[in-house]
Amino acid sequence: MSDQSRYLKDSRLIAEHYGEEYEHYYNAIVPPIFMNSLNVFETLDDYYDFDRRDKHKYCYGRVQNPTVRILEDKIAALEHGVGALAFASGMAAATTAVLTACRAGSHVVCIHNAYGPLKDFLTGYCREHMNITTDFVKGNTVGEFEAYVTDRTDLIVLESPSSLIFSLQDIRAVSELARAHGALVYIDNTYCTPIYQNPLDLGADIVMHTTSKYIGGHSDVIGGVLAVKDEELLKRLITNRELLGGIVGPMEAWLMIRGLRTMEVRLVQHEATAMKVAEFLEQHPKVRKVYYPGLPSHPQYELMKKQQRGNSGLLSFEIDGIAEQAAKMAESLKIFKIGVSWGGFESLVFLPHMRLDEETCTRLGGGKNIVRIHCGLEGTDALISDLESALAEI
Ligand SMILES: *Cc1c(COP(=O)(O)O)cnc(C)c1O
């Protein structure tokens, strides 16, 4: 087997070569998509002694697959974990993590700005079927977590930066608090990707990415991953993925491996464009406020510098006007298309609060008129001129 450790120092080498064993597939530079549902064994003992962590032994496609394993090894290396698991969606990864970290009657502390469907899972299914209670905090200071975390708390759910108003949590401080109470820290790291932030190094226990965003990178795949630093926790997650059945398909895993190859160069461009766009918006007379952690005016800029190496292409802003004017502006854009999701090549615009009541908006932060944009790869000047023309319409 080739010596893989030489790739581990550099995230680009991990994306290009780590976890791949060319000699096993005729030295093809791209790994095959193993579309098999099962693998066969020489003897029954071989079958019964099969180890789910062995990279060279496979049994059944819901348990593990060689193409999926290449993706997982790369993610684990990029996140400095002992292992990673890939799922059919970000939500499959998230729900498997919650069901592994929690038990009936567990207490969870979650930030208000966590991904909406995950909050719905906690307050809906988990509450109804497992009597799991969740307290929500804004999460800008560790003191807010201290007010709710007790020895009954099993899980703290973070997303830093959050993907609408881009609030940050102090990952190291919250992780120390969690450890003192025997709780696990789960963090959605989709916004930063492993290139710009490594939460396991800061004390978090479970890192989640929806690979539907930057890791896929081309808006052609749905998937998710979890990375962890503890072998015991990894084993429990492996068991639960097998039981819940959420493994990603080999074709999707292959697309994610392909996405990873260019992720870092794409991110550098997304960030450079988003920074220019944020600066343009910040000085525009029709814009009241810009939410982007890369701007020195961001209230948590110092914390950002401490735990992140960069920011990606997603940002929000509030126009100096009501939601109807923001909607008109969004519909006047030509290059930015109206759509949810982000992380692909294309620029997108969305008004996530347009139909919420004022009270919910206040709790989440950001008014009804907040506009979220994803800065794609169409070119900085073209995107700024698109925004300039649309802002001139209101
Ligand atoms: C899209 C998204 C998810 C959910 O991922 P899916 O792959 O759609 O299930 C979770 N977290 C964040 C921050 C997201 O943007």
Side-chain angles (χ1 to χ4, degrees):
M1 198 177 43
S2 53
D3 172 23
Q4 295 277 309
S5 61
R6 68 203 145 119
Y7 301 130
L8 278 172
K9 286 185 294 297
D10 183 324
S11 54
R12 290 203 189 180
L13 288 178
I14 292 171
E16 308 309 346
H17 300 294
Y18 183 73
E20 297 178 55
E21 297 174 331
Y22 307 114
E23 67 276 20
H24 283 288
Y25 24 83
Y26 306 108
N27 291 316
I29 192 65
V30 173
I33 310 169
F34 285 90
M35 291 300 283
N36 55 307
S37 66
L38 71 124
N39 301 67
V40 292
F41 294 80
E42 290 280 322
T43 69
L44 284 163
D45 279 343
D46 280 352
Y47 171 80
Y48 282 109
D49 295 335
F50 156 71
D51 171 6
R52 282 158 169 64
R53 289 284 283 137
D54 184 339
K55 187 166 181 173
H56 299 107
K57 294 260 172 65
Y58 294 87
C59 169
Y60 184 57
R62 200 186 75 246
V63 178
Q64 191 44 287
N65 169 283
T67 310
V68 174
R69 181 61 187 257
I70 294 168
L71 169 70
E72 293 173 345
D73 285 352
K74 286 181 191 289
I75 299 289
L78 288 169
E79 282 293 9
H80 308 159
V82 295
L85 291 176
F87 292 82
S89 69
M91 278 304 290
T95 52
T96 302
V98 170
L99 293 175
T100 302
C102 295
R103 63 190 71 235
S106 281
H107 176 242
V108 177
V109 178
C110 177
I111 61 157
H112 279 302
N113 291 105
Y115 186 62
L118 178 56
K119 292 194 294 179
D120 294 344
F121 178 67
L122 287 167
T123 56
Y125 185 90
C126 292
R127 170 80 227 203
E128 280 165 34
H129 296 270
M130 299 174 73
N131 198 27
I132 292 173
T133 50
T134 303
D135 281 308
F136 289 95
V137 296
K138 197 153 172 253
N140 289 15
T141 65
V142 68
E144 296 168 49
F145 291 93
E146 261 159 3
Y148 287 100
V149 174
T150 72
D151 290 346
R152 252 192 65 230
T153 309
D154 287 320
L155 183 66
I156 300 180
V157 175
L158 307 182
E159 184 181 330
S160 184
S162 60
S163 53
L164 173 58
I165 61 158
F166 306 97
S167 56
L168 276 64
Q169 302 97 55
D170 187 329
I171 301 167
R172 193 184 288 280
V174 174
S175 300
E176 277 167 20
L177 174 72
R179 198 168 325 116
H181 290 277
L184 295 179
V185 171
Y186 162 101
I187 178 166
D188 187 326
N189 198 28
T190 304
Y191 177 84
C192 278
T193 84
I195 304 303
Y196 286 157
Q197 181 168 267
N198 294 120
L200 297 181
D201 292 345
L202 301 170
D205 300 285
I206 306 175
V207 169
M208 178 274 198
H209 292 275
T210 157
T211 54
S212 320
K213 312 293 161 60
Y214 286 116
I215 291 176
H218 295 77
S219 303
D220 54 8
V221 64
I222 295 285
V225 292
L226 298 175
V228 297
K229 62 187 180 192
D230 179 72
E231 278 288 350
E232 269 317 300
L233 181 56
L234 180 64
K235 282 207 188 104
R236 281 157 58 205
L237 287 166
I238 288 171
T239 301
N240 289 342
R241 181 180 66 175
E242 184 176 333
L243 297 179
L244 294 166
I247 194 171
V248 73
M251 179 72 204
E252 284 76 10
W254 185 88
L255 282 168
M256 292 166 203
I257 294 167
R258 191 177 67 165
L260 275 179
R261 312 262 195 227
T262 56
M263 182 171 70
E264 193 161 337
V265 288
R266 282 186 284 110
L267 266 184
V268 168
Q269 187 57 56
H270 282 295
E271 177 179 37
T273 299
M275 193 64 202
K276 285 262 167 47
V277 167
E279 285 166 353
F280 162 77
L281 291 169
E282 195 167 44
Q283 56 71 44
H284 197 286
K286 287 182 183 167
V287 174
R288 193 181 296 153
K289 185 169 177 188
V290 180
Y291 298 82
Y292 187 62
L295 286 175
S297 60
H298 188 281
Q300 294 169 296
Y301 186 71
E302 289 310 315
L303 178 60
M304 187 284 289
K305 285 275 183 204
K306 228 172 75 187
Q307 56 190 25
Q308 295 175 213
R309 292 181 291 276
N311 289 280
S312 53
L314 197 66
L315 62 107
S316 295
F317 60 98
E318 278 173 41
I319 62 151
D320 197 9
I322 58 171
E324 285 69 21
Q325 290 166 301
K328 179 164 188 221
M329 194 273 315
E331 287 169 356
S332 305
L333 288 162
K334 300 274 187 295
I335 301 174
F336 289 87
K337 311 285 183 209
I338 294 171
V340 293
S341 195
W342 44 279
F345 58 91
E346 76 282 27
S347 292
L348 295 166
V349 60
F350 191 57
L351 265 69
H353 286 183
M354 192 173 129
R355 297 203 175 177
L356 296 183
D357 56 61
E358 291 292 351
E359 192 196 319
T360 311
C361 287
T362 307
R363 191 167 61 242
L364 295 175
K368 278 169 89 83
N369 63 351
I370 194 167
V371 179
R372 188 181 77 176
I373 56 173
H374 179 249
C375 299
L377 301 173
E378 298 96 338
T380 310
D381 293 345
L383 297 188
I384 288 177
S385 108
D386 197 21
L387 285 163
E388 196 159 31
S389 312
L391 282 164
E393 295 290 318
I394 58 170

XYZ file of all heavy atoms in Angstrom, residues 87-94 113-118 159 161-163 186 188-191 208-213 221-224 314 340-342 372, ligand 1:
299
model
N -23.197 10.573 4.508
C -24.642 10.320 4.566
C -25.327 10.824 3.292
O -24.765 11.622 2.546
C -25.237 11.045 5.777
C -24.793 10.480 7.096
C -23.568 10.852 7.646
C -25.573 9.570 7.789
C -23.146 10.334 8.860
C -25.168 9.046 9.003
C -23.947 9.422 9.544
N -26.581 10.390 3.133
C -27.337 10.734 1.932
C -27.782 12.201 1.901
O -28.232 12.687 0.871
C -28.554 9.820 1.800
N -27.685 12.907 3.029
C -27.975 14.343 3.061
C -27.358 14.925 4.322
O -26.983 14.173 5.241
C -29.493 14.611 3.066
O -30.063 14.200 4.293
N -27.287 16.236 4.379
C -26.829 16.890 5.599
C -27.756 16.544 6.754
O -27.308 16.302 7.878
N -29.065 16.505 6.486
C -30.025 16.196 7.542
C -29.905 14.747 8.026
O -30.120 14.463 9.204
C -31.458 16.505 7.085
C -31.834 17.973 7.213
S -31.618 18.630 8.908
C -32.948 17.781 9.773
N -29.576 13.816 7.136
C -29.352 12.426 7.568
C -28.154 12.375 8.519
O -28.176 11.667 9.527
C -29.129 11.513 6.366
N -27.113 13.154 8.208
C -25.942 13.226 9.094
C -26.336 13.854 10.428
O -26.004 13.341 11.503
C -24.828 14.037 8.422
N -27.079 14.970 10.366
C -27.434 15.710 11.582
C -28.324 14.877 12.501
O -28.093 14.797 13.713
C -28.134 17.016 11.205
N -30.031 30.331 15.747
C -29.767 30.423 14.317
C -29.247 29.131 13.703
O -28.677 29.145 12.613
C -28.791 31.573 14.029
C -29.434 32.918 14.289
O -29.164 33.579 15.274
N -30.339 33.309 13.403
N -29.462 28.008 14.382
C -29.105 26.718 13.780
C -30.017 26.467 12.565
O -31.065 27.108 12.410
C -29.253 25.599 14.804
N -29.623 25.513 11.744
C -30.392 25.181 10.542
C -31.833 24.811 10.921
O -32.057 23.941 11.781
C -29.692 24.022 9.834
C -30.282 23.657 8.498
C -30.284 24.577 7.441
C -30.819 22.397 8.279
C -30.822 24.238 6.221
C -31.349 22.048 7.046
C -31.347 22.978 6.019
O -31.875 22.639 4.803
N -32.810 25.457 10.286
C -34.225 25.331 10.666
C -34.725 23.898 10.792
O -35.308 23.523 11.824
N -34.548 23.040 9.779
C -35.044 21.657 9.887
C -34.435 20.885 11.063
O -35.099 20.025 11.647
C -34.644 21.043 8.537
C -34.651 22.215 7.599
C -34.109 23.365 8.407
N -33.204 21.192 11.440
C -32.613 20.518 12.607
C -33.321 20.979 13.879
O -33.608 20.169 14.771
C -31.107 20.799 12.683
C -30.390 20.188 13.893
C -30.583 18.679 13.975
C -28.902 20.524 13.865
N -23.604 26.338 15.238
C -23.348 26.567 13.815
C -22.621 27.893 13.754
O -23.210 28.949 13.990
C -24.661 26.619 13.018
C -24.435 26.750 11.517
C -25.739 26.831 10.730
O -26.765 26.266 11.148
O -25.715 27.503 9.673
N -19.780 30.280 11.538
C -20.854 31.263 11.627
C -22.187 30.637 11.208
O -22.205 29.703 10.407
C -20.447 32.327 10.612
C -19.034 32.041 10.229
C -18.819 30.599 10.475
N -23.293 31.178 11.748
C -24.601 30.726 11.299
C -24.820 31.259 9.886
O -24.180 32.228 9.472
C -25.682 31.216 12.257
O -25.687 32.626 12.311
N -25.718 30.608 9.156
C -25.738 30.866 7.706
C -26.799 31.865 7.260
O -27.171 31.898 6.095
C -25.915 29.535 6.969
O -27.031 28.849 7.475
N -21.760 19.497 19.082
C -21.984 19.255 17.656
C -21.909 20.606 16.970
O -22.506 21.569 17.435
C -23.377 18.653 17.483
C -23.975 18.730 16.079
C -23.963 17.619 15.243
C -24.576 19.904 15.611
C -24.528 17.681 13.974
C -25.135 19.968 14.339
C -25.111 18.853 13.530
O -25.666 18.922 12.278
N -22.159 22.565 13.059
C -22.326 22.615 11.608
C -21.224 23.521 11.067
O -21.192 24.715 11.352
C -23.723 23.173 11.305
C -24.075 23.108 9.825
O -23.162 23.262 8.993
O -25.271 22.929 9.515
N -20.292 22.935 10.329
C -19.117 23.676 9.822
C -19.232 23.926 8.321
O -18.237 24.160 7.639
C -17.846 22.863 10.140
C -16.568 23.689 10.080
O -16.583 24.898 10.303
N -15.456 23.048 9.748
N -20.456 23.844 7.796
C -20.654 23.942 6.350
C -20.175 25.278 5.791
O -19.592 25.328 4.709
C -22.148 23.751 6.024
O -22.589 22.509 6.573
C -22.380 23.725 4.520
N -20.425 26.347 6.523
C -20.079 27.676 5.994
C -18.566 27.807 5.768
O -18.139 28.307 4.736
C -20.573 28.772 6.949
C -20.174 30.152 6.498
C -20.941 30.849 5.570
C -19.010 30.754 6.973
C -20.557 32.108 5.120
C -18.627 32.008 6.525
C -19.403 32.678 5.607
O -19.011 33.916 5.163
N -20.175 18.546 11.487
C -21.072 18.159 10.404
C -20.877 19.107 9.213
O -20.621 20.299 9.400
C -22.516 18.229 10.914
C -23.559 17.907 9.869
S -23.984 19.388 8.922
C -25.500 18.885 8.205
N -20.941 18.538 8.009
C -20.988 19.350 6.783
C -22.122 18.829 5.932
O -22.251 17.617 5.764
C -19.720 19.187 5.933
C -18.498 19.753 6.558
N -18.158 21.076 6.442
C -17.526 19.178 7.289
C -17.031 21.291 7.089
N -16.626 20.155 7.619
N -22.930 19.726 5.378
C -23.721 19.258 4.267
C -22.839 19.416 3.030
O -22.373 20.503 2.705
C -25.076 19.976 4.109
O -25.484 19.831 2.740
C -25.002 21.435 4.440
N -22.598 18.297 2.370
C -21.746 18.319 1.175
C -22.526 18.828 -0.027
O -21.978 18.967 -1.110
C -21.192 16.907 0.899
O -22.297 15.993 0.838
C -20.255 16.461 1.995
N -23.836 19.096 0.187
C -24.652 19.710 -0.873
C -24.172 21.133 -1.187
O -24.558 21.698 -2.198
C -26.119 19.777 -0.428
O -26.519 18.611 0.258
N -23.357 21.717 -0.312
C -22.906 23.103 -0.479
C -21.488 23.120 -1.090
O -21.312 22.621 -2.179
C -23.012 23.839 0.856
C -24.379 23.634 1.561
C -25.546 24.273 0.829
C -26.913 23.724 1.213
N -27.308 23.841 2.596
N -25.530 17.648 -6.272
C -25.503 16.503 -5.374
C -26.013 16.896 -3.984
O -25.818 18.027 -3.539
C -24.068 15.905 -5.313
C -23.082 16.889 -4.726
C -24.018 14.605 -4.543
N -26.706 15.958 -3.327
C -27.147 16.126 -1.937
C -26.392 15.106 -1.093
O -26.323 13.924 -1.456
C -28.671 15.868 -1.808
C -29.491 16.901 -2.579
C -29.115 15.812 -0.335
C -29.591 18.264 -1.946
N -25.820 15.581 0.017
C -25.101 14.654 0.893
C -24.644 15.346 2.153
O -24.736 16.572 2.283
N -24.162 14.559 3.105
C -23.654 15.113 4.356
C -22.558 14.252 4.929
O -22.401 13.092 4.532
N -21.064 33.453 1.199
C -22.440 33.726 1.604
C -22.477 34.940 2.527
O -21.658 35.039 3.443
C -22.965 32.491 2.338
C -24.461 32.333 2.539
C -25.172 32.137 1.204
C -24.754 31.155 3.475
N -32.923 28.817 -2.712
C -32.290 28.463 -1.448
C -30.983 27.750 -1.777
O -30.571 27.710 -2.926
C -33.197 27.549 -0.584
C -34.413 28.292 -0.123
C -33.573 26.296 -1.344
N -30.364 27.186 -0.765
C -29.077 26.532 -0.916
C -28.002 27.553 -1.282
O -28.279 28.752 -1.410
C -29.113 25.395 -1.930
O -27.957 24.586 -1.782
N -26.781 27.057 -1.426
C -25.610 27.896 -1.685
C -24.407 26.975 -1.787
O -24.541 25.761 -1.627
C -25.404 28.943 -0.567
C -25.558 28.422 0.847
C -26.744 28.230 1.509
C -24.531 28.021 1.762
N -26.506 27.744 2.773
C -25.163 27.614 2.960
C -23.135 27.988 1.685
C -24.450 27.163 4.080
C -22.420 27.545 2.812
C -23.085 27.134 3.984
N -30.360 37.462 1.671
C -29.153 36.648 1.708
C -28.690 36.370 0.283
O -29.503 35.999 -0.566
C -29.400 35.328 2.435
C -28.084 34.568 2.635
C -28.288 33.254 3.335
N -28.817 32.262 2.402
C -29.012 30.986 2.745
N -28.750 30.567 3.970
N -29.483 30.141 1.850
C -28.346 23.040 3.503
C -27.938 23.035 4.921
C -28.128 21.912 5.741
C -28.886 20.686 5.288
O -28.208 19.943 4.350
P -28.970 18.948 3.337
O -27.882 18.313 2.579
O -29.898 19.800 2.521
O -29.747 17.991 4.178
C -27.628 21.947 7.024
N -26.945 23.025 7.491
C -26.761 24.121 6.739
C -26.020 25.278 7.306
C -27.254 24.166 5.439
O -27.072 25.265 4.705
